[in-house]
Amino acid sequence: MRVIRKIVGIAVVLAVCMWSFIALSLWSEYTVARSAGQKQGFNLTAAFASELTRTFDSVAAAFQLIDSNVKAHPLGSGSDMENLLRAIIAAAKPGTGVRIAGPDGRLMFSSGALNSGLTDFSQQAHFISHRDNTSLLMSLDPLRPEVAGQALEVSRRLETADGQFAGEAMLFLKSENIITLNRQIDLGRRGMVLVLGVDWIVRAGYDRDHANGTVGIGADLTSGSYPYHLDAGAIAGLVRKAPIDDVARLVSVRALERYPLWVIVGLDMDDVLGAARVHVWLICFVGIGASLVIGVLTGLLVREVWRRIQREIEIAYDRDRLKSAQVQIEADRALLAETHRELVASQTIAEVANRARTQFLAHMSHELRTPLHAIIGFSELIQDQAPTKPGSPPLAGYAADIWSSGRHLLELINAILDISKVESGTTTLAETVFRVGELVRHSLVSVRAAAEAKHIPIELRLPETALRVRADQTRLLQILINLMSNAVKFTPNNGRITLAVSVCDSGELMFSVTDTGIGMTETEILIALEPFGQVDNTLSRAFEGTGLGLPLASKLTDLHGGRLVVTSVKGKGTTVTVTLPADRVVQKDGARVANG
């Protein structure tokens, strides 16, 4: 029964997922259709706004022509004004009539179509605005009852040559000529184009049945929740029911850049979503069919499960055997876990023992060095005061052997203790700033005698610029002495040793010791870097050494944040390079050396 519930649950989940996908597809279809309609609306508003701008450009040109003639011939002078008005009407194609009022508001000139009607404009709001506001050049005025068949009146302030108010020019435009592009574009069954002023009063309206622009003229759209504060040239899109006919439309609004006009294009939502709704129905039918298929398959699968339940009874014995095997596996796993715990405990004990050994050696510094210093001191005293007469016992020779053995043992103990301190983490660096050249020269003092005894010249290469380094001078000197001692020890007579100091491009400080000694293989280098490591060949066994010098130098280099690298060729020589970080290198004035 549990399996059947799972099957039914999976079928339900599958159906829910499928319908969720269908719902997402439907929403996507709706979104795409609306986005395409919005894009079409934006393109249409751009086209209509462009045509409207060109229309008003011609109006502005007509006004400019009137203003230029008024500046040249003040109103009332000359007899060419009638001819000028006819030329202006012919040039301004959308214009249907022109009126010109003088500075006192009295009508002075009018086109033939506008000879009757109002003759005194002194109390009109647009006349007062032009008279009192010098910056207002053009305004779109409300509709005039006395101008029949006109949709829009545009007026402009006229000035004399010296900038004084010379009157007002009024141009009346036929609504059917303001926009003509609507006659070439199909806006759909109930698509609409509206031209509005900044007061959101409809100046002209066009749809499929009213190409003359008379739809909604004078309607107030301030209560339609439109974006009333668009910047010049800006656009906006929304879905609204038009107050004119209460039809839901996808609305695109665009404000003209140069004139106080707005263009609204409304596309019927039924037209915008028509194709999408067809797809919605098709997808829904497909979803219903798929749901029926899922139901049928689920029924068949449930019947098959009932059959398999009967077969499961037959394989119950095999299942028990598998459980027994699983129990055995768990027992083996527990045994492995116990073995792992024992190994971890053994490793912990070994680490504790290693730390105890290291701490013991580190704490034995005073107890081991004090008696050795006494032995070395007394052997030097005996050597200096032993009788040297013929026939006297060779006490001086015995004392010299004791002194040499004591010094060797002290150096061995010092190396062991140094390595023990480094491994136990008790070694600290006493960092100071000192000259690199002096450090290198001091390192040569301790090996110069041994090198001269084997006739081995030591070449010193220092950079031209004096460098200073921030490090533990004693430990760094110890590193160089160990490297130089190994070079002298394993270089045959008449060989050659080079100690070079340089600053690489990255700003790091490099010390390199190169010899022409016996050399090592890659395997022997790994052995030499281990404490007490001895390269297993007869030539290296011929020299004294405990195998601590190179490992100690490597660990002291690590303490400084640097690295020690050994490169060698068997039978040709060895180069050991010690590299310190760039932030340890300073100039003479104490400033760090810049990289590169």
Side-chain angles (χ1 to χ4, degrees):
M1 295 299 296
R2 184 170 54 190
V3 175
I4 294 177
R5 285 195 297 269
K6 288 183 178 179
I7 294 174
V8 174
I10 292 174
V12 172
V13 171
L14 183 60
V16 170
C17 292
M18 181 187 66
W19 280 104
S20 298
F21 176 76
I22 290 175
L24 181 62
S25 299
L26 298 181
W27 175 253
S28 176
E29 189 78 23
Y30 171 79
T31 303
V32 171
R34 179 170 174 175
S35 176
Q38 193 73 76
K39 184 176 181 181
Q40 180 184 4
F42 287 162
N43 292 336
L44 290 175
T45 58
F48 290 131
S50 177
E51 182 182 12
L52 193 60
T53 300
R54 289 194 300 271
T55 298
F56 276 85
D57 285 342
S58 64
V59 171
F63 278 139
Q64 184 64 35
L65 182 59
I66 295 174
D67 186 66
S68 298
N69 280 271
V70 169
K71 285 183 170 60
H73 304 286
L75 293 174
S77 64
S79 58
D80 295 333
M81 186 56 66
E82 292 290 344
N83 296 330
L84 172 63
L85 291 178
R86 294 189 187 93
I88 291 173
I89 293 173
K93 295 180 181 180
T96 60
V98 177
R99 284 178 175 174
I100 298 179
D104 56 355
R106 303 292 297 176
L107 180 65
M108 299 186 67
F109 301 99
S110 175
S111 65
L114 299 173
N115 287 332
S116 61
L118 187 65
T119 60
D120 186 0
F121 297 90
S122 60
Q123 301 303 317
Q124 299 296 317
H126 57 89
F127 182 85
I128 296 173
S129 298
H130 287 302
R131 183 189 62 192
D132 299 338
N133 188 355
T134 59
S135 61
L136 182 63
L137 295 180
M138 183 184 296
S139 66
L140 303 175
D141 304 318
L143 302 179
R144 293 289 184 81
E146 72 276 8
V147 184
Q150 307 301 324
L152 194 60
E153 178 184 357
V154 186
S155 61
R156 175 186 167 123
R157 171 189 173 94
L158 300 178
E159 295 180 350
T160 61
D162 57 356
Q164 297 299 319
F165 180 65
E168 177 187 26
M170 291 161 281
L171 181 64
F172 297 89
L173 308 178
K174 286 186 178 180
S175 58
E176 63 183 6
N177 291 330
I178 295 176
I179 292 179
T180 59
L181 189 60
N182 62 295
R183 302 169 188 172
Q184 306 173 22
I185 297 176
D186 185 9
L187 298 176
R189 294 178 302 166
R190 293 183 292 184
M192 183 178 294
V193 180
L194 300 178
V195 178
L196 299 89
V198 294
D199 54 0
W200 280 79
I201 302 297
V202 177
R203 298 298 198 271
Y206 308 87
D207 61 11
R208 175 180 287 182
D209 300 325
H210 300 83
N212 58 358
T214 59
V215 176
I217 291 180
D220 188 352
L221 300 187
T222 55
S223 61
S225 301
Y226 292 96
Y228 304 110
H229 303 290
L230 285 180
D231 296 332
I235 58 175
L238 63 158
V239 177
R240 287 289 183 274
K241 284 188 176 181
I244 298 174
D245 53 7
D246 200 33
V247 174
R249 292 183 175 88
L250 183 61
V251 178
S252 300
V253 184
R254 182 183 296 267
L256 268 64
E257 295 185 359
R258 299 197 298 271
Y259 302 102
L261 289 173
W262 296 50
V263 177
I264 294 182
V265 174
L267 301 178
D268 187 4
M269 290 298 294
D270 292 337
D271 293 338
V272 173
L273 301 179
R277 288 171 179 169
V278 174
H279 293 167
V280 166
W281 282 108
L282 179 61
I283 292 175
C284 288
F285 284 134
V286 172
I288 293 172
S291 299
L292 293 176
V293 171
I294 292 175
V296 172
L297 293 179
T298 302
L300 295 175
L301 186 58
V302 168
R303 187 180 65 176
E304 182 65 21
V305 169
W306 276 106
R307 294 178 180 177
R308 290 182 178 273
I309 290 176
Q310 300 298 323
R311 295 181 57 188
E312 286 184 359
I313 298 176
E314 300 175 358
I315 61 174
Y317 176 74
D318 293 336
R319 185 179 301 168
D320 292 338
R321 286 197 307 168
L322 290 175
K323 289 182 178 179
S324 299
Q326 183 178 5
V327 171
Q328 184 62 37
I329 291 173
E330 293 295 334
D332 294 341
R333 184 179 300 171
L335 180 60
L336 290 175
E338 181 64 25
T339 304
H340 175 71
R341 285 193 295 270
E342 293 177 356
L343 291 175
V344 171
S346 300
Q347 182 180 3
T348 303
I349 294 172
E351 291 177 352
V352 171
N354 184 54
R355 287 196 297 269
R357 173 186 61 80
T358 302
Q359 292 176 357
F360 170 77
L361 291 176
H363 294 160
M364 289 298 291
S365 174
H366 178 71
E367 286 75 5
L368 292 176
R369 289 176 176 173
T370 300
L372 281 175
H373 282 301
I375 293 173
I376 293 172
F378 285 122
S379 63
E380 288 180 349
L381 182 61
I382 294 172
Q383 185 177 1
D384 293 339
Q385 297 181 1
T388 57
K389 296 180 181 181
S392 300
L395 296 179
Y398 299 153
D401 292 339
I402 294 173
W403 181 86
S404 176
S405 299
R407 290 292 299 178
H408 180 71
L409 183 58
L410 179 61
E411 292 176 358
L412 175 61
I413 291 173
N414 287 338
I416 293 174
L417 292 176
D418 287 339
I419 289 183
S420 299
K421 286 183 179 181
V422 173
E423 291 179 347
S424 64
T426 59
T427 300
T428 58
L429 299 178
E431 296 185 354
T432 58
V433 178
F434 52 89
R435 291 187 176 89
V436 176
E438 294 180 359
L439 175 75
V440 173
R441 293 185 181 91
H442 289 165
S443 67
L444 299 181
V445 174
S446 60
V447 298
R448 191 179 300 278
E452 290 177 353
K454 298 179 68 174
H455 304 288
I456 299 175
I458 299 178
E459 181 183 358
L460 179 61
R461 298 177 182 174
L462 295 175
E464 296 180 359
T465 303
L467 299 176
R468 291 174 178 265
V469 65
R470 177 179 54 78
D472 188 328
Q473 186 172 4
T474 302
R475 295 300 186 183
L476 194 55
L477 180 61
Q478 187 177 3
I479 293 172
L480 294 179
I481 290 176
N482 287 346
L483 298 183
M484 293 297 296
S485 297
N486 282 345
V488 173
K489 183 188 302 183
F490 293 106
T491 300
N493 294 343
N494 301 316
R496 186 175 67 258
I497 297 175
T498 301
L499 173 58
V501 180
S502 62
V503 177
C504 58
D505 293 340
S506 62
E508 296 176 317
L509 181 63
M510 297 177 58
F511 299 88
S512 61
V513 178
T514 304
D515 61 56
T516 58
I518 60 176
M520 294 178 288
T521 63
E522 294 292 336
T523 303
E524 291 172 345
I525 290 175
L526 297 177
I527 296 174
L529 289 173
E530 293 294 328
F532 303 101
Q534 292 285 351
V535 179
D536 189 17
N537 60 61
T538 57
L539 185 56
S540 62
R541 292 295 189 184
F543 299 94
E544 295 181 356
T546 59
L548 294 176
L550 192 58
L552 179 58
S554 178
K555 293 182 180 299
L556 293 178
T557 302
D558 293 339
L559 282 178
H560 284 81
R563 60 186 183 276
L564 184 145
V565 179
V566 180
T567 57
S568 183
V569 178
K570 189 70 173 179
K572 293 186 179 181
T574 302
T575 298
V576 182
T577 303
V578 174
T579 305
L580 298 182
D583 57 2
R584 290 189 173 276
V585 181
V586 297
Q587 295 175 339
K588 288 184 179 181
D589 57 358
R592 294 181 179 178
V593 175
N595 290 348

